[in-house]
Amino acid sequence: GAVVSQHPSRVICKSGTSVKIECRSLDFQATTMFWYRQFPKQSLMLMATSNEGSKATYEQGVEKDKFLINHASLTLSTLTVTSAHPEDSSFYICSARGAGGETYEQYFGPGTRLTVT
Amino acid sequence: GDSVTQMEGPVTLSEEAFLTINCTYTATGYPSLFWYVQYPGEGLQLLLKATKADDKGSNKGFEATYRKETTSFHLEKGSVQVSDSAVYFCALSAGGSEKLVFGKGTKLTVNP
């Protein structure tokens, strides 16, 4: 089946630094990738949708200058949390979707735990 | 706006017990409904889905029926196994949107 990986699985960074999270579709081409944020005991909240080669579409309330999303290839999207602060600590999950057929549904990565100290 | 409400967890059952996890939704139009499962240390996986009223989604012994009159999509399994221990998420996509709206998730633990 379709596999999506994320790297790193967990990261600790100091306040004010930036951190990049990678999302890769390993065995299919992902025309669309989604980034979610999950707080403890809360549902996944969609942050943004990115299509390969174009700018990401951010959900209301998500700061595009703080959460930079790049989807430069059909197998890789990155989320960069810039000038991170403790309130950015969360679990970030990506999903990827192909152009059609059985890859039209979203396939999820295992998530990245970000802790900002 | 669109929303999904699912029963609070955690749920703890003995092996071979009957499972029900309730899920209700609010949406404009006729949404598609999904159940996702997240095993420890893994990403969410689509468990089953239903795209129109009265459809029944089923997979791995799990079932859920799209009930438009009660706006519900309850997940059921007749006999759970230890390997079913995971977090289960109910979700919808509405109005032809590709976006998924998730419930908060219900953690299920099955004891031998």
Side-chain angles (χ1 to χ4, degrees), chain A residues 58-88:
Chain A
Y58 290 81
E59 294 299 299
Q60 192 172 11
V62 177
E63 298 176 60
K64 63 179 67 175
D65 294 331
K66 179 165 189 63
F67 298 100
L68 300 179
I69 292 172
N70 183 282
H71 190 170
S73 79
L74 285 171
T75 59
L76 173 65
S77 176
T78 60
L79 168 67
T80 301
V81 183
T82 62
S83 187
H85 290 285
E87 57 266 29
D88 299 324

Side-chain angles (χ1 to χ4, degrees), chain B residues 18-40:
Chain B
F18 183 85
L19 168 71
T20 299
I21 301 178
N22 290 337
C23 171
T24 57
Y25 67 89
T26 302
T28 53
Y30 302 98
S32 294
L33 302 173
F34 308 85
W35 276 101
Y36 283 84
V37 57
Q38 185 177 30
Y39 298 104

